[in-house]
Amino acid sequence: MSRMKTTSLSWELQSQTESPLAPPADTLEQLAGDEWALQEGGGKNMPPPADLLRRTSERGGRPLLLEYRIPTMTEDMARNALLGFVHSKCCYGNKAAGELVIQDLRQVTVYRYRLETFHESRLSEWTFQPFTNNLVDGPQNGAPPRLWDIQVQAPPMFQDDVKKFRVPHSSLVKECHKCQGRGRYKCSVCHGAGRMRCVTCSGARHRTKQQKRCQMCSGTGRKRCSTCSGRGNKICMTCQGEKKLLHFIQLIITWKNKVFEFVSEHELNFPGELLRKVNGENVFKDENILVYPITDFPKPEISLASQRAITEHSTTFASTSRILQQRQTIELIPITEVHYQYAGKKYAYYVYGLENKVYALDYPERYCCGCTII
């Protein structure tokens, strides 16, 4: 009797794919407030209100000009830097580094300007989960708060992060749209029968050659469906068998640190991108909610870069995000061009950054050892 009931129920259920699907937008009520209007095809990004932007634009404090000294490069420091560089390369010999004769050290300083803008954006979207209890914080408890009125704890400044929150008073309970509130759906493999044709005997109940009863299906020609364990139906993956779903608006807050970087010009035969990977001596720091462009730095291109960076970030984030903090710095990066002679020929290499890294394009003692650089 029980088996007949189960089979009858399984045929009433519709066969469904197993992946959870979002409900049609027209199945959910509109909540109070324009910013909670449902959007077809995904979430809704809300810009911060004008009064919030005005509050964050208030400035206090002054930029800080730091004390610094330009590091001096000596012959011993230049040679030791090259020896360390050679030892890190499997295809470089150390004889030339030990015997070369340094003829000239030419020190050059370049400046690296960096603007960091730590900003916050907010996105709202409808989502759902199986309804497992009777606690529903819905519109009956009041109107949902405005997107930017929801108070959250921000991460440490200039650190990227993403957090998700349930918007208060936005919850709605609805019948599962995937299984129509049944909690189960017909097995798509056995089509609700609970049993399938035996693959060993192909449903013939015995093996053709031996004419013996098939041991795999005990001579019945059919086996229990392994997908649904013979029940003919499976638990709905969307509601997890609960028959109902709790729909609510999810607030997704994204904090990101946008970086603008500029390195002043130099006349050396040196790849500028290498300077992005080293540290320099801090000479200027300005940190506030919003910083002002630098106007009187001795290197005019640094001042122009500051103006361009601040304008670019302001234009990019003003209408979509809230700027929480900005920081602009200037670093002095030392570069030393080392001219030397080895085996009667002249060469050059560069020592750069506070780490004394080396760039030696034409080092004279290089071999092909078949190593692979990853």
Side-chain angles (χ1 to χ4, degrees), residues 274-310:
L274 295 180
L275 299 179
R276 300 181 183 275
K277 304 176 182 179
V278 294
N279 293 316
E281 187 77 23
N282 288 319
V283 300
F284 176 85
K285 180 180 179 182
D286 182 15
E287 182 175 330
N288 217 300
I289 296 175
L290 292 176
V291 297
Y292 289 151
I294 299 171
T295 57
D296 54 358
F297 196 73
K299 288 279 188 179
E301 62 264 37
I302 294 295
S303 297
L304 291 174
S306 172
Q307 297 172 30
R308 186 170 74 251
I310 291 174

Side-chain angles (χ1 to χ4, degrees), residues 37-89:
L38 292 176
Q39 300 290 307
E40 283 285 348
K44 186 176 183 180
N45 196 318
M46 293 296 297
D51 58 338
L52 182 58
L53 291 176
R54 282 195 295 271
R55 290 201 302 270
T56 59
S57 65
E58 298 173 358
R59 174 187 169 89
R62 299 183 61 83
L64 181 62
L65 185 62
L66 306 174
E67 294 184 2
Y68 66 95
R69 63 179 183 83
I70 301 176
T72 302
M73 180 64 60
T74 65
E75 289 192 9
D76 287 341
M77 293 170 61
R79 188 185 301 273
N80 289 334
L82 181 62
L83 284 169
F85 170 76
V86 168
H87 288 155
S88 68
K89 303 291 184 179

